[in-house]
Structure formats: structure tokens, C-alpha cells
Amino acid sequence: MAARTGLPLAPGHSGAPVFPPVALSADAAPFTPLGAEGWPFSSQSDAEKQFARCASKLRSLRGDSTHLREELNLLFDQLISENYNKTFNPNINIRPEDVCLLLKHASCLVPLSQEHLVIKLCQLVHHLLNQLKVIMDEQTLDVLVSYTVHALSVCSTWTHSEILLALSTTVYGNGPQCHKHLSELLGEDGILLLYSSPSQPDMELRRVALTCMANICLRIPGQPPLDDQYRSVCFQVFLQTLQSPKPPNTDELFYSMVIQAALKGLQCSLSGGKWKFGGGEELGSVLATLKRLMFQGAPGVSVEWPPVLYPAPLPQYEGLSAPKPSEPPKEAAAPAKASGNKKRKSKGKGKKTGTEENRGDDGEEDEREAVPVPQRGGGRSGGGGGGARREGVGGEGESWSKPSAPSLYPSWKRTSSDSEFSDPEGGVQSKLRLYHARLRQGALHCLLAVVKGVEKRTLYGYWSSFIPDSPIGGPPPLTLLTIILKDPSPKVRACALQVLSAMLEGSRQFLGVAEDTASPRTSYTPFSFSLATAVRELHRALSLALLAETSAHTLTQVIKCLAYLVGNAPYHRLRPGLLSPLWKQMRPYVRHRDVNVRVSVLTLYGALVTTQAPLPEVQLLLRQPEGSSSAGSFTPQDSALSWRQRGGVSSPSCAPAALSQRNSHTPANTRSPGVPRTPGEEEAGPPWLLQLCVSLVTQPREDQSDGEGAGAGGPVALEPTPVRLEALQVLAHLVRGYFSLAQACLCEIGQVSARCLGETDPSIQLQGAKLLEELGTSVIQQYRAENNVPESSRVPMNQVVQFWSDVLSGPLNAALQNEQHPTLQTSACDTLSSILPQAFAQLPEKRQMMCITVLLGLTYSENYLVKTAAVRALGVYILFPCLREDVMFVADTANTILAALNDRSPNARAKAAWSLGNLTDTLIVNMESVGVDFQEELSDMLLLKMLQAATRASADKDRVKSNAVRALGNLLHFLRHSQLTRAGFQRPLEDAVRALVQTVQSEATMKVRWNACYALGNAFRNPALPLDSAPWSHDAFSALCCVVTSCKNFKVRIKSAAALSIPARRGCYGDAERFSCVWRSLAAALENSEDTNDFLEYRYCASLRHTLSQALLHLLGISQSQDMPALGASLAGEEGRGIKEHLIKYLRVEEGGEGTEGEKDGKGESVNPQQRIGGLQQTLNRLKGLEVGGEGGEKTGKEVVVEFLEDLLKTCEEP
């Protein structure tokens, strides 16, 4: 009756009545909600009542009861018969402590001599812990583990399987908590090692023991891992099990279950941490074992597998061999018999992969893989190594008839006449195929754990074993791509794709070596070319998988894998043509029925417009008219893909009015859809991808047959939220990488963002704000002088102003004030900081005041993310020309920054220090442009607070320190003489300089140190600083002299040399001894300018020598008579000849060049050789007229210097 009415029955109540339906009326009985089983909700379920009754009765039993055995037997049966699974009975609520109490008491009542009761107790332990997911306390865990371990040593062998199962359930995820028993279980001659040994004849005991060890290794998130000692023991047992051959006379199904348990254990051992199981030999052994098991039971595979895989350059390739007589492969033996009934191909030796074959339908179980699938399409064009062909049943017959050529032709593709199994055998063989598929899936899960746990650089050496570097032809290599293209199980294919995705993730540096733009050498194949070939083969194989796949879940994994490939491959170093087919192939999938497929397609498009943007190939694809790129891209899955729009063209039919109108009157509509657009036609309309994304975000869904998304039943049901979010992200990527193609739709995209900000979904609002930020940032990039964008190619200024006027008068204000969603507020602050400074100046004054007021107010937010973003935005605004001269705004910004520098959050302090650096940059600009008036208007007390705050921040973390020292340099440069002489500034001034000196000499990051060197040079520019008399002056020069000769980082040396050349007066260098020290340091640094152990530093050698030469000539230009002895002694010997060679190159502009760091940090002199030589001539004339008094030694020093300069001039003037 239940089956007819559709009303399910509760477990244990088969005779329960079925209530008839009652018509709705005023007289109807009150509504009573029903549980998952169709029964009214009550305070306590039947299972709970049964458990409580049995538990109460069990606790009342004592060991000396007369009928103890019978009562225990009855209670155990009653408890085991109940279904506690919350899937069937979600209302159940049994407390874990009650379960623990029951099991502890029961273990005390059951003596080990009563083996049948022991078995039932073990079954009860497994039943309750497994179904109720009980987290045990340590005492219960200890009692149950002790009981089961003792039972294994006392009870008969026939009970051990159930005891081990109870032990396995008990230790699940509790390995670290079992520390008292680990030595007994996993130590030398431990119980589990005994049962899991390859010599154990009982396969069931071996399987359960391996499962028990896997559960011990299993790590629950948030808990400590198992001790490395025992994890290594388990790892070795699992690996030994996987490597040992199948014992003779062992059932294949039972042995598959043992291998599956070992794979699960290996996965638990490898998961949740780095590889800790030995060096290359162990890793190669594991990889070889997993690669063999990846193909376990795959049809047609019969190869000799190497015991170890070696990293390049020691590759090993699988050698083909005939099947072994002792263990004929069951999947490959019979097809050879049936090959006589198959038609032979006309081109048997062509590079055919069989990858174009259709897969099983989505959700098809592995047991049903033998069911033939009707062929949908005719011929297909297989890219790369495969030509066009027509698939037919039995198309791989020729390869099957040859035992030496392995084939992975799926058994489910064969018709019933080709089946190797008779009807009675079908069930067994189908079950064996299912188990083999699970083995392959488990091996791939283990391989995924290895990929995640092993260092990327180590794993790169094994890529050739899993990713082919040449098109498949002849005997195909067995790799991950073979599984992706050939395996009959969609779950296995999905696992292989996950492994490949994990290998590709983060491989940009490795794949960046790939290059095939030049013709390869005939004598040898460079590694870069082999890697490029591997990238091309990945493209080819994944494109074929995309065509053949019909399982929606696996199809999603294929597209995600392609996204990882596109995001990491160096297409600017590869021949064009890889991305165009992929771009066109993905077009129909944007309207796929499955929402996850649609999201992954958008992710792939986002990767395409992000990778090395702007790529010329992608630019051409974006410029193509709407219909051209979809021509010929209709896939065999058209019935599933084009559910919105037939015909293969999947462009948005409901594009926004503005975009549709923009495209309606263009010449593109008169062109043939197959003719590509030339670069000059880019103005014809917005890119198709932009129209698609706008349509997905804003337009109603055309078809709601899949029942997805929010708003079902409403007239304006939009796309599901994941699709809209991904479309917004693609829009942001498109704007960032190809703004020149998207800028014509600036206002329309702004309207999309405004619409998103006006919605109620915070995630949509957030992406809308981020899109606005990308638009603003792209406009700023266009207007930067260094980017050299012609004015005709920029967005007109009046359009930028109108854009921001509309944005600021829209829903962005509500987002800025939305305290319930601080992440949205943060993004809105970032949006405000992306306004073009020139456009901000032309905004209405009330809009400007609104931006400033909101940002100043948000710096007092309790959320550190909002505060950080607001402080950063103020650090951007302080650089705006229209605001930086406003003393009141500068003061308000300074006060908010000073408050943020004391925040508890390191991120907030880091952004505050960055903003303080920008603010002090503004002070320097105003000092040079406005003059003393601005300096006098700024409060002395505020400057003192800024100096003290920056000094304190220089002792903070490196990311705070790097900008704090920048601010100190600017402040020391900005202070006037009247301020420096005041008593209140003396101590802070000394503390500030000493903070810079300590930073220069510290072990901080190189960026911090060269910022500190730059800050000292910046301070030296202030003529009011008492460099000649201050006590800290000696420490500053000593620190710079030490760094310029000894620092390993050449950029730090460059900054220190530039700082030493900045003081304009001889008196700033102090006495002759200090001047001589500076000279000797610069000369020694020039002599050792090529001494480095880091090859990367050599690129800065020329810039370093340029800066050092400039500094030495500066010292010669300001030197006085007291400096002549030291200068003469230096220039007279071997050191002088080395200095002369470098100065000649500098004067002739043979190195360093314009725009080098050293020149930018100097006085900005021209690189014209005549001007440099003219400056040297002036130095020579000055020294000749220098009056030298005292001892003759000084006269000799002067003569040496003059002679050195005359010889230098003569050499430089020679042609």
C-alpha cells in the first residue's frame, strides 16, 4: 500500500497505517508537520525510546545476574536492529555521552570467554559509532581499544574479523588519542602489522586490519596528526601491500578489496601535510605503484611496469609485453576472439586516439558500463594527431586483434555481440569492473595527495611520466591523458582531471620556460621545446575530452583543468593558434543545462582574458564579430548544450539595449560570419564576451526548465547567483586586461555595476564594487604618462567625469554606509580611491566633499578591514594635485593616519605607514612648488607628532617599517632651520636619524634597507641639517660606508652610494678623516662591483658602477686642500688605475646610461659626455687654483690628483 501511495514507512513499523489525504477546508484538522519518514514530529523518536529503554535496562544489569547472557543477547539484538542513521531519521537526538556510557558498561559485562556475545558487542560498537557519528571521550576510547586488543589475543580466530571492524570504527580519526596503545598496535610485532602482513592468508582479516590502520592515520581537521614514527610504519605497510603480487588461488574481488583498503590508508598517510617518507627513491617507488594501479583493470592494458619512476633526466618508459600466462588480463583476452566480426579501418596506422568516443550518460554507475551506448554523431575532427574519421561500433577492432598493441577501447562501447561475457558471468564481471574502477579512483586520490604534499620543484621531474610531451601516435604512452580520454568510468576520469589540475596549479614558473616560436634544432630537442610540445598536447587532449564528455560533473572538471592550463602556460612564448580553437569550442557551452558547467566555462574565459594580457591572439578573438567565432563549433552534445538557443550560436539574445543598439548599425552585420574582422574594425561593436557577461548579469533567464536559481516563479528570474558572480569577474578581468576594447562601453558597464550595488545579495554587490574599481584603475593607467597612450585613444575626460558623477550619485553611497557588510564597505572604499585625479578635480564640490567626509569617517570604523581601506584611500587622495595644497585636508589626513598607526592590526598599520609616506611625499612637493608659505602654515606640533610616530613605526614589522623610514626621510628633508634648532625637536631628530641608521645596519628585508638608505640621502638634501656638527652624523656616514662595500644586495649598495653623493657642501662631510673614509669606501665598492655569488645581482652591476663613479667625481669636485693627501695616496697606486678605467667608461657614457637608478638618485645631470667632461674640467681648474699650505706632502697629494684628472681628460678627449 505504501508503494502505491508513495508514503514511506518508518523503520520497524511495517504495519503502520497510511493516512488518507484530506481536502482543505475550514473544518479540516489542524496541520501537523511530518518527519522525513512521513510520521508526525514528536519530542522523542522511536529509535530514541528504544535506545533509552535498552540502555536503562543494560545499566541495571550486573555481572552476577543469573540470566545475564540471555538478557545481553536480547538487548544487543534490539539495539543493533534499530536504524540510527539521521538520513532516514533526522529527528533522532541521542547524546554522545549516553552512547559512551552504554558501551563502557557493556564491555564490563561481556566476558571474553563468551565469544558470541563478544561478536555482538563488537557489532554494536560498530553500529552505534558508525551511524551516530559519536565523538568519544578519552576514557571510552581507552576502554574500547583495550577491550578489542585484549579480545584479539584471547578469542578464537573466527571472531577476529568482527573485532577488528569494531576496533577500526573506534580508532576512526582518533589515532593521536590512542597513544597508549599505538606501540601495541603498530610497534614491532604489533597486532595490526601481523594481520596486515602480505603473508596473512585470510584476505578479510588483512582488509579489515588495513582499514583499521587507515582510520588511525586519518586526520580530522583541527586535531594534531599522528606521530611521524607510526605514520611512517603505516605508510610502509600500505606501500608493501600495493607492491606485493596477488597470492595464488586468491579471488580477484577479495584481493581488489584489500588493495582498495591499502590505497585508502596510503591516502590518509599522505594527506594533510608535506611529504615525509624519504627521498627520491621512495617517491619514485610510490609514483610507479600508483601509476600501475591507475590502469588496474583498464581494458587492453598489458605492460611491464617499472618498480621505480625516476625524475628527468632519467626517464623510464613502459615497455610493451605479451600477457603473462599465469594471470591473463580478463578485460583484454576475449576481445581478440571477437575481432573477426569487426570491420577493419581503412587507415589502421593513423594517429587515432579513440578519444572522440562518447561517454556514458551523467550519473551512470560503473556497473552499467557494459551497456552499449548508441553513437550520436558522424565524423569528428580530432585536433593534433588525429584526422577526421567516422566512429563506428567495433572501430578499434584492428588494435584489439594485436596483443602487442595495447588499446583502451571501452568495453561499454562494444555491442552485445562483442561482449566477452556470457549472461551468467555478466554479474560477476560487472562487479569486478566496478571494483577495478574504484581501485583506479583510489590510486588517483593517492596521487592527488602526493601532488599536494610534494614540493612543486621536486614533482616537475616526474611530469614526463604523467603528461606526454608529444602527440599520441603508435604505441601510446600511458599517462593521465590516457585515463581522461579512455577510461569508461566518469568518476575515474574526473579524478584524473583533478590530479592534472593540481599539477598545473602554480606551475607558471616551470611552464614559463616553454618556447616554440623558433624552429627546433635538428641535432637535439631543447627542454623548452619539449615543454612547449607538452603544453600543445595538453590542449589537444583536453579539447578532445571536451568533445567526447557527456557527464556534466566530469565535463566541469575538464573545463576547470583547461582554466588551470590557460592560467599557467606562457602563450606569449608559443606559436599563436592554441587559444583560438579553444575560444570557439567553448562558445556553445555557455548555455549548457548544468549550472556548474556554465560557471566553469566563464572561469575559463576569465583565464583566457587574464593570462599575459593583452595577448594579440586574444585581442583578435575579442574583435571578431559575434557570429564568426561560433561557426563550426557545434558540438555533439547539442541537444544538451543548446537548450536555450539552437543552431550552435550561443550569443546573448537579450543583450542590454545600449549594447544591442550600439551593435545594430555596424558594418559587421553585413559581413559573412566566417570572415574574421581586421584590427581596424574594432570600433564596430563591443566584444561578444562583454555582451555575454552583461546579459548573464542583467537579463532574465530565457528558460527555467532546469529549476535552478533564485526567483523561481517570478517574472524576472535571473541567472543563478554563481553564474552572475563569475560573469562579473570575467567582466573585471576583461576590463583589466583589454580596456581598450571595453572602454567604448564604459558607461554601460558602470550601469551594470550600479545595478549590482543596488541589489540585496551582498556577494553581487561586492563584485559590482570590484568591477567599478577595475574601471577606475584602468582609466588611471591610460592617463599615466609613462604608458604613452595617445590622447585620441583615451577615454575623453568629460566622459570620465560624467561616469564618476553617475557612480557617486548612485547606490555606492549606501554600500559605503552598509555596516552589516564590512567587506562591501572595504571594496567601496577601494572604488573611491580609483577615481582619476584629473576627473576628481572637475567633479562638483559637493561630490568631492562627500568622498572626503565619508573616508575620514570610516577611518574610525571598528572593523579593521574598513579602517585599512579608508586610510589607504586617503593616502591616494593626498597625492591629488587639487587636494595636496589644502592645509586643512593635509592636517585632517595626517591626524587620521597617526591614529591608524597605533591600531592593533598589522595590516592597518602597514597601510597607515604607506599613506604617511605618501603624505610626506606631498610635503616635499609642496615645499618645492609652494615654498615657505606652506611650511609655515603647517603646525609644528603636527610635524613633531608625525616624526615621532614614524620613528616608532620604524621598529615595527618590515611591511610597516619600509614606509615608515620613507616618511622619516621626507620629514627630515622638510623641517626648517627654525624647527630644527628648537629644543623640542632635538631629541626626536636624533632618534629619527638613529632609527634610520639602525635600519640600514639591520638584518631586515632588502626593500626596507634600501628604503632606509634612500631616506638618509633624502635627509642629506636638507641644508639646515647640522651634518658637520651633530653627534649622529658620524653614525650615518659610517653606516652608509659599511653597506656600500659589504651588502650582498646591489640595489642597497646603489642607494647607499647615491646617498653618500648628495651633500652639496664639503663641510657636510666633516673633517678630513671622515671624508677620506667615504672616499675609500666608494673606491673599494667600485673595485668590487662585480663580486657577488648571486647571479641575479649582475643585472645591477652597470647601475652600481655608474652611481659609484658619479659619487667619486662629486667628492673630487668639492674636495679641499686638507683632503689632498688621502686622495693622492688613493689615486697614485693600483687603486687609482682601476678607478680611472671606470671613470673613463662613465665619462664616455659606455655604461649606466640614462634612466639608471644611480643617475636618478644623484643630481639628475645629463648623460651628455661633453657636459660630464666639462664638469670634470671645472673640477680640474678649481683644484689647480687651490692654495695648499703646510708640509710638502699636501703639495704632492694635490699634484697627484691634478695629474690624475689631466690624464683622465686627455684619455676621454681622444677619438
Side-chain angles (χ1 to χ4, degrees):
M1 180 173 65
R4 290 194 302 269
T5 61
L7 182 65
L9 295 176
H13 296 272
S14 58
V18 178
F19 300 105
V22 179
L24 293 177
S25 70
D27 301 325
F31 171 72
T32 303
L34 299 181
E37 299 299 325
W39 295 94
F41 283 118
S42 61
S43 59
Q44 208 174 25
S45 67
D46 293 328
E48 288 179 81
K49 294 176 182 178
Q50 175 82 330
F51 178 86
R53 185 184 63 79
C54 293
S56 176
K57 192 168 184 180
L58 187 65
R59 285 195 297 269
S60 66
L61 294 178
R62 293 294 176 262
D64 54 356
S65 300
T66 55
H67 301 287
L68 177 64
R69 179 177 177 179
E70 291 77 7
E71 291 179 354
L72 282 176
N73 196 46
L74 179 62
L75 289 173
F76 287 169
D77 284 342
Q78 291 174 346
L79 286 168
I80 293 172
S81 66
E82 278 294 339
N83 189 350
Y84 303 106
N85 196 324
K86 292 192 175 183
T87 304
F88 299 99
N89 197 351
N91 233 20
I92 195 168
N93 184 22
I94 298 176
R95 298 188 307 167
E97 51 266 31
D98 293 339
V99 178
C100 293
L101 190 61
L102 182 145
L103 294 178
K104 283 190 294 184
H105 188 65
S107 64
C108 296
L109 294 175
V110 178
L112 297 179
S113 58
Q114 300 289 335
E115 294 185 345
H116 284 86
L117 281 181
V118 171
I119 289 295
K120 288 199 174 182
L121 175 60
C122 290
Q123 291 173 349
L124 179 63
V125 169
H126 173 72
H127 186 69
L128 292 177
L129 296 183
N130 188 45
Q131 291 200 348
L132 291 173
K133 305 294 186 287
V134 175
I135 300 177
M136 291 178 289
D137 57 83
E138 193 165 345
Q139 183 186 3
T140 305
L141 178 65
D142 183 55
V143 168
L144 294 181
V145 173
S146 299
Y147 184 86
T148 50
V149 170
H150 193 200
L152 287 171
S153 61
V154 173
C155 297
S156 303
T157 307
W158 69 272
T159 65
H160 289 188
S161 177
E162 294 289 350
I163 297 173
L164 281 172
L165 182 61
L167 177 62
S168 173
T169 310
T170 303
V171 299
Y172 181 86
N174 292 318
Q177 285 75 33
C178 298
H179 52 86
K180 297 179 182 178
H181 308 279
L182 286 178
S183 60
E184 192 175 0
L185 294 172
L186 299 173
E188 190 174 356
D189 298 327
I191 296 174
L192 294 180
L193 299 186
L194 176 66
Y195 285 109
S196 62
S197 171
S199 60
Q200 170 62 244
D202 191 328
M203 288 293 106
E204 178 62 14
L205 283 179
R206 191 175 170 191
R207 181 191 69 82
V208 181
L210 289 168
T211 303
C212 188
M213 295 173 66
N215 289 348
I216 291 176
C217 293
L218 180 68
R219 182 180 181 183
I220 303 297
Q223 292 189 5
L226 183 66
D227 186 79
D228 288 344
Q229 172 191 351
Y230 296 110
R231 196 151 67 108
S232 298
V233 170
C234 295
F235 170 82
Q236 293 299 332
V237 172
F238 298 138
L239 185 59
Q240 184 183 11
T241 303
L242 297 175
Q243 292 175 336
S244 59
K246 185 182 77 169
N249 303 322
T250 302
D251 184 79
E252 182 72 23
L253 289 177
F254 281 110
Y255 184 68
S256 297
M257 294 168 68
V258 171
I259 297 299
Q260 191 174 345
L263 283 171
K264 183 64 178 177
L266 189 65
Q267 181 187 353
C268 293
S269 300
L270 296 169
S271 299
K274 297 297 182 181
W275 174 270
K276 297 181 180 179
F277 304 108
E281 190 76 16
E282 289 78 3
L283 177 59
S285 179
V286 171
L287 291 175
T289 302
L290 294 178
K291 184 172 183 181
R292 171 174 59 83
L293 292 170
M294 280 161 42
F295 295 93
Q296 181 76 25
V301 175
S302 176
V303 298
E304 287 289 345
W305 299 97
V308 180
L309 293 180
Y310 294 102
L314 299 173
Q316 282 192 345
Y317 303 97
E318 300 89 338
L320 304 181
S321 68
K324 296 181 180 180
S326 59
E327 290 185 43
K330 300 177 182 177
E331 292 289 317
K337 302 176 184 177
S339 61
N341 298 328
K342 298 180 182 180
K343 296 180 181 179
R344 302 175 77 86
K345 295 182 183 177
S346 59
K347 296 181 180 180
K349 295 184 179 181
K351 295 181 180 179
K352 313 255 174 67
T353 65
T355 55
E356 302 92 338
E357 300 157 353
N358 287 328
R359 307 292 186 185
D361 291 336
D362 183 19
E364 180 181 11
E365 293 297 330
D366 296 329
E367 302 98 301
R368 300 172 54 197
E369 288 165 0
V371 179
V373 178
Q375 183 70 25
R376 283 183 181 171
R380 289 186 189 168
S381 178
R389 75 180 189 187
R390 180 173 294 276
E391 292 289 335
V393 175
E396 294 278 337
E398 183 173 359
S399 62
W400 277 99
S401 63
K402 299 179 180 179
S404 61
S407 172
L408 293 180
Y409 190 69
S411 58
W412 52 270
K413 287 290 291 182
R414 296 195 295 272
T415 61
S416 58
S417 62
D418 295 324
S419 175
E420 58 184 302
F421 312 119
S422 61
D423 290 339
E425 296 174 324
V428 176
Q429 296 299 336
S430 178
K431 191 172 184 180
L432 182 59
R433 281 197 301 274
L434 171 63
Y435 278 41
H436 282 163
R438 288 176 179 172
L439 286 185
R440 297 195 297 273
Q441 190 175 350
L444 288 166
H445 280 148
C446 288
L447 182 58
L448 180 62
V450 172
V451 170
K452 291 181 177 180
V454 175
E455 187 181 357
K456 288 282 186 184
R457 186 175 300 179
T458 303
L459 199 64
Y460 290 148
Y462 297 93
W463 267 43
S464 58
S465 298
F466 297 95
I467 299 175
D469 57 2
S470 61
I472 297 175
L478 299 178
T479 63
L480 286 170
L481 298 184
T482 314
I483 300 174
I484 293 169
L485 294 171
K486 298 271 192 169
D487 198 286
S489 168
K491 293 180 181 179
V492 176
R493 298 195 299 269
C495 286
L497 287 161
Q498 289 175 351
V499 174
L500 183 57
S501 299
M503 293 177 69
L504 291 171
E505 185 180 9
S507 63
R508 185 175 303 170
Q509 185 176 2
F510 174 66
L511 291 179
V513 181
E515 184 173 15
D516 66 353
T517 52
S519 301
R521 299 175 182 267
T522 56
S523 57
Y524 70 95
T525 302
F527 175 69
S528 59
F529 187 81
S530 298
L531 208 53
T533 308
V535 172
R536 292 187 174 277
E537 180 61 14
L538 284 169
H539 264 278
R540 189 191 74 87
L542 291 174
S543 295
L544 290 174
L546 197 65
L547 286 171
E549 194 60 68
T550 54
S551 165
H553 173 68
T554 311
L555 182 62
T556 302
Q557 295 298 327
V558 174
I559 300 171
K560 286 182 178 179
C561 192
L562 279 166
Y564 280 114
L565 175 61
V566 169
N568 290 279
Y571 295 100
H572 61 292
R573 295 168 59 92
L574 303 176
R575 295 193 311 272
L578 280 176
L579 299 179
S580 299
L582 181 61
W583 183 281
K584 298 172 184 178
Q585 191 177 7
M586 296 309 302
R587 286 284 292 267
Y589 291 89
V590 298
R591 301 295 185 184
H592 194 278
R593 185 180 301 274
D594 188 89
V595 64
N596 294 317
V597 174
R598 302 208 297 275
V599 171
S600 61
V601 169
L602 290 172
T603 302
L604 177 54
Y605 273 121
L608 285 166
V609 297
T610 302
T611 180
Q612 296 109 44
L615 276 176
E617 185 176 0
V618 176
Q619 282 183 319
L620 288 175
L621 290 169
L622 288 169
R623 287 169 177 162
Q624 284 182 358
E626 185 174 320
S628 66
S629 62
S630 61
S633 63
F634 188 59
T635 67
Q637 295 90 340
D638 59 301
S639 60
L641 295 176
S642 303
W643 59 285
R644 291 171 182 250
Q645 184 174 347
R646 302 292 180 182
V649 179
S650 55
S651 57
S653 60
C654 295
L659 295 179
S660 300
Q661 186 178 6
R662 183 190 299 276
N663 208 20
S664 63
H665 58 292
T666 61
N669 294 326
T670 62
R671 296 178 63 91
S672 170
V675 180
R677 188 180 297 245
T678 60
E681 295 177 302
E682 61 184 81
E683 297 83 5
W688 164 83
L689 185 59
L690 190 149
Q691 296 181 62
L692 170 70
C693 293
V694 171
S695 171
L696 291 174
V697 173
T698 61
Q699 299 300 315
R701 280 168 33 203
E702 302 171 14
D703 191 335
Q704 302 175 34
S705 60
D706 57 356
E708 303 159 348
V716 288
L718 299 174
E719 286 283 346
T721 299
V723 175
R724 300 181 69 209
L725 289 175
E726 201 65 38
L728 285 168
Q729 292 187 36
V730 175
L731 270 179
H733 296 322
L734 187 61
V735 167
R736 184 189 307 125
Y738 298 89
F739 184 66
S740 60
L741 301 179
Q743 67 182 47
C745 306
L746 177 67
C747 292
E748 289 86 346
I749 301 175
Q751 292 172 6
V752 172
S753 301
R755 170 173 175 165
C756 293
L757 282 170
E759 295 191 17
T760 57
D761 188 342
S763 60
I764 297 292
Q765 291 177 308
L766 180 63
Q767 291 301 326
K770 289 184 176 180
L771 180 56
L772 277 179
E773 182 189 355
E774 288 294 347
L775 288 168
T777 303
S778 299
V779 172
I780 291 175
Q781 292 293 333
Q782 268 196 347
Y783 274 81
R784 282 188 174 165
E786 60 266 23
N787 291 331
N788 298 320
V789 178
E791 187 173 354
S792 59
S793 300
R794 299 174 182 172
V795 180
M797 182 60 67
N798 60 345
Q799 187 177 349
V800 179
V801 174
Q802 183 61 44
F803 169 79
W804 283 113
S805 297
D806 295 341
V807 168
L808 295 175
S809 58
L812 184 64
N813 295 336
L816 286 165
Q817 300 172 22
N818 191 344
E819 296 182 358
Q820 296 180 349
H821 299 288
T823 308
L824 178 60
Q825 282 185 292
T826 300
S827 187
C829 289
D830 294 336
T831 301
L832 286 185
S833 67
S834 65
I835 301 177
L836 182 69
Q838 299 93 310
F840 186 89
Q842 297 184 28
L843 287 174
E845 186 177 357
K846 64 176 182 179
R847 299 295 176 206
Q848 295 183 14
M849 291 303 299
M850 185 271 292
C851 294
I852 296 171
T853 304
V854 168
L855 290 176
L856 287 173
L858 289 177
T859 58
Y860 297 98
S861 171
E862 294 181 359
N863 187 282
Y864 81 95
L865 289 174
V866 179
K867 180 188 299 186
T868 301
V871 169
R872 177 192 170 275
L874 288 173
V876 174
Y877 277 26
I878 200 66
L879 298 175
F880 284 8
C882 62
L883 294 177
R884 67 187 178 205
E885 296 180 7
D886 185 342
V887 177
M888 293 301 297
F889 174 69
V890 171
D892 290 341
T893 303
N895 284 318
T896 58
I897 291 173
L898 292 178
L901 276 173
N902 296 321
D903 196 88
R904 292 180 298 176
S905 167
N907 291 333
R909 297 198 303 274
K911 290 301 182 184
W914 179 82
S915 297
L916 182 62
N918 286 2
L919 188 147
T920 54
D921 287 342
T922 294
L923 297 183
I924 301 301
V925 172
N926 288 340
M927 181 183 69
E928 295 171 352
S929 60
V930 180
V932 181
D933 292 341
F934 182 84
Q935 288 178 285
E936 291 178 347
E937 286 186 45
L938 205 60
S939 164
D940 289 355
M941 185 58 66
L942 181 60
L943 283 173
L944 183 60
K945 288 181 179 179
M946 292 166 63
L947 187 66
Q948 292 171 333
T951 303
R952 289 192 300 271
S954 66
D956 205 331
K957 298 179 181 294
D958 280 357
R959 53 181 174 166
V960 180
K961 188 183 300 184
S962 61
N963 286 295
V965 295
R966 176 167 71 102
L968 279 178
N970 285 329
L971 289 169
L972 292 174
H973 183 190
F974 183 80
L975 292 174
R976 290 172 291 134
H977 183 269
S978 60
Q979 294 166 332
L980 293 173
T981 54
R982 288 176 54 182
F985 276 85
Q986 294 300 311
R987 183 60 182 271
L989 172 63
E990 183 177 349
D991 291 342
V993 176
R994 294 200 183 280
L996 291 178
V997 170
Q998 291 173 3
T999 306
V1000 169
Q1001 297 174 331
S1002 69
E1003 297 297 325
T1005 58
M1006 294 305 168
K1007 179 182 178 181
V1008 173
R1009 296 182 70 185
W1010 71 258
N1011 263 3
C1013 292
Y1014 180 85
L1016 277 177
N1018 201 3
F1020 289 171
R1021 297 180 189 276
N1022 189 347
L1025 277 182
L1027 291 177
D1028 52 346
S1029 60
W1032 43 259
S1033 178
H1034 172 75
D1035 295 336
F1037 279 104
S1038 297
L1040 292 173
C1041 289
C1042 178
V1043 167
V1044 80
T1045 56
S1046 62
C1047 186
K1048 296 178 181 179
N1049 186 278
F1050 277 18
K1051 291 183 73 174
V1052 176
R1053 291 197 199 184
I1054 292 168
K1055 295 296 182 183
S1056 58
L1060 289 171
S1061 67
I1062 284 177
R1065 295 179 294 106
R1066 168 61 187 83
C1068 295
Y1069 288 92
D1071 56 17
E1073 182 179 355
R1074 186 190 299 175
F1075 186 89
S1076 173
C1077 178
V1078 173
W1079 173 271
R1080 288 196 306 270
S1081 299
L1082 293 172
L1086 187 61
E1087 182 181 357
N1088 302 322
S1089 58
E1090 293 185 359
D1091 294 346
T1092 179
N1093 295 325
D1094 189 351
F1095 178 76
L1096 296 177
E1097 296 299 327
Y1098 279 109
R1099 55 182 169 171
Y1100 300 114
C1101 281
S1103 182
L1104 176 60
R1105 288 192 292 268
H1106 173 93
T1107 308
L1108 290 168
S1109 301
Q1110 180 182 342
L1112 288 172
L1113 288 176
H1114 172 72
L1115 291 182
L1116 286 172
I1118 63 173
S1119 60
Q1120 297 297 327
S1121 58
Q1122 66 269 26
D1123 306 318
M1124 292 299 109
L1127 293 177
S1130 174
L1131 297 175
E1134 185 68 27
E1135 187 180 47
R1137 286 189 287 274
I1139 293 174
K1140 180 181 176 182
E1141 292 178 5
H1142 290 294
L1143 291 181
I1144 290 172
K1145 293 180 181 180
Y1146 170 78
L1147 292 169
R1148 288 179 171 176
V1149 200
E1150 294 182 8
E1151 65 179 12
E1154 187 172 6
T1156 60
E1157 293 195 43
E1159 190 156 2
K1160 284 190 285 185
D1161 293 333
K1163 298 179 180 178
E1165 64 179 78
S1166 171
V1167 295
N1168 189 330
Q1170 296 302 322
Q1171 294 181 4
R1172 291 183 179 176
I1173 293 174
L1176 182 62
Q1177 183 67 58
Q1178 293 179 3
T1179 299
L1180 177 61
N1181 295 336
R1182 187 186 67 81
L1183 292 179
K1184 283 182 178 180
L1186 197 64
E1187 294 185 3
V1188 180
E1191 300 294 331
E1194 291 184 354
K1195 181 182 287 188
T1196 304
K1198 173 189 171 182
E1199 291 174 355
V1200 171
V1201 174
V1202 170
E1203 183 180 346
F1204 175 86
L1205 294 178
E1206 288 177 342
D1207 190 28
L1208 185 61
L1209 275 173
K1210 182 179 178 181
T1211 305
C1212 291
E1213 290 172 352
E1214 290 177 357

